[in-house]
Amino acid sequence: MGIITLPAFYADFKAANAGDKNYKSTTRDVRKLIDSLKTYDKVNAIVMDLRGNGGGSLVEAISLTGLFIDRGPVVQVKDLRGKIEVDEDENSGVTWDGPFGVIVDRLSASASEIFAGAIQDYGRGIIMGSQTYGKGTVQSSIDLNKLVNPSMLQRVAGLISKDKTVGTSPSGASPADINLGQINLTMAKFYRVAGSSTQHKGVTPDIVFLLFIRWIKLEKILNHLPYHGMLFQVLTLKQLQILPLLKHN
C-alpha cells in the first residue's frame, strides 16, 4: 500500500502563466507519485493523508479529484445572489482506479473537504479519521484604501506628518504610505456534488477513529456561518452520473 501525504493544495500559477511546462502543482506532483507507486512499488492500494491540510487552491482540489474519477462535477458554489456554479473535472480517464482511502482530521479544511467530500459522494474511496473542520465558505479580499476618497488619505497623511511620535520618515508621510489594510468578506458557500454543505459540519468519515490535536480547542471558534443543509435545486444523483457507482458499492 502506498501513502501520499499532502500538506496543502498548491500551484505555481506565475510559472504556469509564463508558459513553464514544468511548473509545480499538487495534481502534477501526485500524478508522478502515483505513477511511481504503480510502476516501481507495485502497490495494490493508495491512501491520501490530508491530516492538517488547511486547503489552498480550489482549482487543484478539482483537478486532483479528477485523478480518481472519470469526469463529472466536483463542487458547487452558491453566491450571495443565489447563483449556482458547478465546477467539474472535464478530463477523461483516471490515474488510479484501484482501492483508495483518504485520512482526515479536524484540521483538514476547505479544499481538503471538497476533495474528500467528492471522493465520498462518488463512492470512489473510503474516508477515515475524524470529522473535518467545516470551512465551506468563499471569501473575497477588499483593499480598504480603494474604498476611501483619495482626499481623505491625503488628510490622514498630513496628520501623521505632524505627529512626530508616529514612525514616519523625516520628509513626512504621503497618501502612498497609508495602508488601511484589507477585509475578507464571505461571498459564497461550497456545496458537495450530492448537495450537502461542508460549512460547520465538515465531512464525516466512513470509518471514524480519534485523532488527538493538542492545545487547540476548535469548538470554541466563534462567529462561523451555520450549516444550511442540502442544495436541492441543482443536481440529482442521476444528473451526477454517480447512481450506478452507488448501487455498485
Side-chain angles (χ1 to χ4, degrees):
M1 180 176 68
I3 299 177
I4 299 175
T5 301
L6 187 62
F9 288 83
Y10 56 87
D12 188 347
F13 293 110
K14 183 177 180 180
N17 293 333
D20 185 351
K21 296 182 179 180
N22 298 313
Y23 73 91
K24 300 286 289 183
S25 78
T26 297
T27 305
R28 284 171 164 239
D29 291 345
V30 169
R31 182 185 288 112
K32 291 177 182 177
L33 289 172
I34 292 175
D35 289 342
S36 177
L37 289 171
K38 290 193 300 184
T39 304
Y40 301 107
D41 298 289
K42 308 295 183 182
V43 300
N44 55 14
I46 290 178
V47 172
M48 187 77 69
D49 189 349
L50 298 181
R51 287 176 295 178
N53 186 324
S57 169
L58 173 61
V59 173
E60 286 301 311
I62 295 169
S63 60
L64 184 67
T65 304
L67 299 184
F68 305 95
I69 67 169
D70 186 15
R71 304 183 66 174
V74 174
V75 64
Q76 304 176 71
V77 184
K78 182 178 181 181
D79 66 20
L80 52 82
R81 292 179 293 273
K83 181 181 178 181
I84 299 168
E85 175 184 320
V86 181
D87 293 326
E88 303 185 13
D89 163 48
E90 300 178 349
N91 297 318
S92 301
V94 297
T95 301
W96 177 256
D97 59 2
F100 183 54
V102 180
I103 302 179
V104 295
D105 65 9
R106 284 294 279 161
L107 294 182
S108 303
S110 194
S112 290
E113 294 172 303
I114 290 171
F115 175 79
I119 294 298
Q120 189 176 59
D121 286 346
Y122 275 95
R124 178 58 190 87
I126 301 298
I127 311 301
M128 303 168 283
S130 60
Q131 179 185 358
T132 60
Y133 184 89
K135 200 276 186 182
T137 55
V138 183
Q139 282 73 40
S140 293
S141 298
I142 298 178
D143 185 350
L144 293 180
N145 280 46
K146 294 181 179 180
L147 299 180
V148 178
N149 191 297
S151 63
M152 180 63 70
L153 291 178
Q154 182 69 52
R155 292 176 61 186
V156 173
L159 291 173
I160 292 177
S161 297
K162 293 178 181 179
D163 189 348
K164 300 298 184 180
T165 63
V166 179
T168 58
S169 62
S171 59
S174 69
D177 297 323
I178 307 301
N179 183 6
L180 301 178
Q182 66 180 32
I183 57 173
N184 293 325
L185 295 182
T186 298
M187 307 297 288
K189 289 184 69 175
F190 290 126
Y191 289 85
R192 292 167 55 163
V193 293
S196 63
S197 171
T198 57
Q199 177 62 20
H200 188 39
K201 287 194 174 183
V203 175
T204 301
D206 302 301
I207 300 175
V208 178
F209 53 84
L210 189 60
L211 298 171
F212 290 99
I213 303 175
R214 294 185 299 173
W215 312 118
I216 299 177
K217 296 183 178 179
L218 297 174
E219 302 301 333
K220 290 189 176 181
I221 294 178
L222 304 177
N223 299 321
H224 56 72
L225 286 180
Y227 173 78
H228 282 164
M230 301 288 286
L231 187 64
F232 288 107
Q233 301 177 351
V234 187
L235 305 174
T236 64
L237 290 178
K238 186 175 181 180
Q239 288 172 312
L240 292 173
Q241 299 181 341
I242 67 173
L243 192 55
L245 288 173
L246 296 177
K247 287 181 178 180
H248 178 72
N249 286 284

